[in-house]
Amino acid sequence: MPKPLPLPFPGVSEMPLVTELRFPESGVTVQGEFELNEFAVLSPENLEFLRLYIKVRGNLKEVERILGVSYPTVRSRFDALLRAIGYEPEERDPRDETLALLERGQISPEEALKRLRK
């Protein structure tokens, strides 16, 4: 049974280079130098998060519900995923956390207004 790629590899920061592709059923083997794309080298944690994100069609609130973690935690994991595939996350609007707390009923509308006016 094939094993997952051992990535990230301890102590190595460079991108791996694949030198052989084998198609077992057809008996075809291709040798050369092939680059892996940014998704192929994701950590298991980032890959699992990406799978869930795709499954829920990009709905971070649904990811929050399924994982049972706070919205800021989900955003943080999403930002880490973006960085892992070579994108810089957008600057977060500081009002987002206040609105998320209000939406979940963790603060009152009055408290939200107070925070948003700062």
Side-chain angles (χ1 to χ4, degrees), residues 28 30 32 41 43 46 54-55 63-64 73 77 81 83 94 108 111 116:
V28 173
V30 179
V41 295
S43 70
N46 276 332
I54 291 169
K55 179 181 177 183
V63 172
E64 174 188 8
T73 299
R77 289 190 60 188
L81 172 63
R83 280 190 291 281
S108 69
E111 176 63 21
L116 292 172

Side-chain angles (χ1 to χ4, degrees), residues 29-87:
T29 299
V30 179
Q31 293 182 328
E33 292 187 354
F34 311 98
E35 293 178 358
L36 294 173
N37 65 50
E38 64 272 26
F39 300 104
V41 295
L42 285 175
S43 70
E45 296 81 19
N46 276 332
L47 187 57
E48 192 59 36
F49 185 86
L50 177 60
R51 286 180 176 135
L52 176 59
Y53 180 75
I54 291 169
K55 179 181 177 183
V56 300
R57 295 177 170 84
N59 185 331
L60 291 178
K61 296 301 273 177
E62 185 66 7
V63 172
E64 174 188 8
R65 185 189 69 76
I66 291 169
L67 294 179
V69 297
S70 70
Y71 185 81
T73 299
V74 170
R75 278 298 306 230
S76 177
R77 289 190 60 188
F78 184 72
D79 290 347
L81 172 63
L82 287 177
R83 280 190 291 281
I85 60 174
Y87 295 105

Side-chain angles (χ1 to χ4, degrees), residues 93-106:
D93 187 334
R95 299 174 295 184
D96 286 348
E97 186 173 350
T98 298
L99 294 174
L101 290 170
L102 175 63
E103 189 174 301
R104 291 191 302 267
Q106 294 177 314

